[in-house]
Amino acid sequence: MTFSIVGRDARTGDLGVAVASKFLAVGALVPFVRGGVGAVATQSYVNPTFGPEGLRLLATGLDAAAVGAHFQATDSGIAQRQFGLVGADGRSVTFTGPDCHAWAGGYAAANVAIQGNILAGPGVVEAMRAAWEAGSGLPLPRRLLAALNAGDAAGGDRRGRQSAALVCAGPGRGYGGLTDDWVNLRADDHAEPCRELARLLDLHDLLFTRPESIRPLTDEELAWLRALLVAQGHATALPGGPWDADTEAAAWALFGTENLEERWVPGGQVDPVALAYLRAQYPTRVG
């Protein structure tokens, strides 16, 4: 009752899963990822133990095919199961039990496993495969999401739409470098869950990505920013002229309020992406 893609970025080693379904909170049951180890999607009368057990077995050195064989040998309900696995070495496997509801099937190659059941037809998997192959230059979350969107556009789950999820991990890639989880986003109950997931990923990139470029604030931008800082209560008054310590302290407080700390640049410099976001959020504040 789900379609998913498990993938690995061959350049960075990052691993991830993207999934969508006519099912409440599919992200709570299907995707499992561990940086430097592997990624698992378990679905169709889902056996949620496949996630942690698959990652445990991959961590011991078994490859994806051996883990898949273990699932088939030990699960009495395997005929109704479906899963996809990709290990940290890029080896993959997809499995569709003979009793999965039609249409059901998948595709596996180096660094990717795609699978789905109760789909509009085989074109869903084919569209996901084409999008994955076309997106080789994209960051892993964008590449996985592009494939998921392609499957959705090709008909996806033929019962309709309800939820979607995107999980990616890589060693030290998480918040503050203290965790491996890099992206972990869910649309649990939404009329257009893949579209909502795209919106959430855009927001994630805004809030958790460092600036690609910086530049000095113009005089007009500085005047606008100071007026905004006073209006929002981060300062009672600010002088004109060049950037100063009081303006910096108030601007830092604004960036913290907006969760833009990762895009903060001191000394009167600015990340154009953060500035564009602030000007869109506060369009009536002018200097």
Side-chain angles (χ1 to χ4, degrees):
M1 300 171 282
T2 299
F3 57 103
S4 67
I5 176 168
V6 185
R8 173 181 176 270
D9 188 327
R11 297 166 300 178
T12 66
D14 293 331
L15 295 145
V17 178
V19 56
S21 181
K22 178 69 168 65
F23 187 88
L24 178 67
V26 70
L29 291 173
V30 171
F32 295 82
V33 185
R34 187 184 304 170
V37 174
V40 180
T42 171
Q43 58 201 51
S44 183
Y45 296 96
V46 61
N47 183 340
T49 68
F50 281 2
E53 179 67 0
L55 294 176
R56 184 189 71 79
L57 292 171
L58 288 169
T60 68
L62 291 184
D63 65 17
V67 175
H70 172 79
F71 290 163
Q72 294 176 61
T74 59
D75 183 3
S76 61
I78 194 65
Q80 292 183 302
R81 313 286 194 215
Q82 191 173 52
F83 60 80
L85 296 151
V86 175
D89 58 5
R91 285 184 281 184
S92 69
V93 65
T94 188
F95 171 83
T96 299
D99 293 342
C100 288
H101 293 300
W103 186 89
Y107 164 80
N111 299 307
V112 67
I114 300 168
Q115 46 283 315
N117 61 94
I118 313 188
L119 301 184
V124 176
V125 169
E126 292 165 5
M128 294 174 72
R129 174 184 177 179
W132 169 260
E133 292 174 350
S136 60
L138 296 173
L140 182 62
R142 295 286 173 183
R143 191 178 185 187
L144 291 171
L145 185 56
L148 196 69
N149 280 323
D152 186 57
D157 184 331
R158 61 182 170 84
R159 301 168 307 150
R161 302 179 175 95
Q162 186 168 8
S163 66
L166 174 65
V167 182
C168 296
R173 290 279 279 160
Y175 188 79
L178 301 175
T179 177
D180 292 348
D181 289 347
W182 175 23
V183 175
N184 194 330
L185 302 172
R186 287 168 44 172
D188 283 347
D189 185 23
H190 197 281
E192 296 285 349
C194 292
R195 185 178 300 174
E196 174 65 2
L197 207 59
R199 185 190 70 83
L200 292 173
L201 184 56
D202 287 344
L203 187 58
H204 177 277
D205 286 351
L206 169 69
L207 298 179
F208 299 113
T209 301
R210 295 291 299 160
E212 293 184 1
S213 64
I214 61 173
R215 62 169 176 79
L217 287 160
T218 67
D219 291 344
E220 182 275 331
E221 290 165 347
L222 180 53
W224 172 86
L225 178 60
R226 281 174 165 151
L228 173 62
L229 295 173
V230 171
Q232 293 301 114
H234 297 295
T236 56
L238 291 169
W243 186 264
D244 65 293
D246 289 342
T247 301
E248 178 143 332
W252 170 245
L254 173 66
F255 270 61
T257 299
E258 296 292 332
N259 292 314
L260 288 169
E261 293 96 337
E262 291 298 313
R263 291 192 175 273
W264 168 253
V265 186
Q269 302 283 310
V270 70
D271 168 23
V273 173
L275 180 62
Y277 171 77
L278 290 172
R279 298 205 79 154
Q281 288 292 103
Y282 302 101
T284 62
R285 305 297 182 186
V286 295

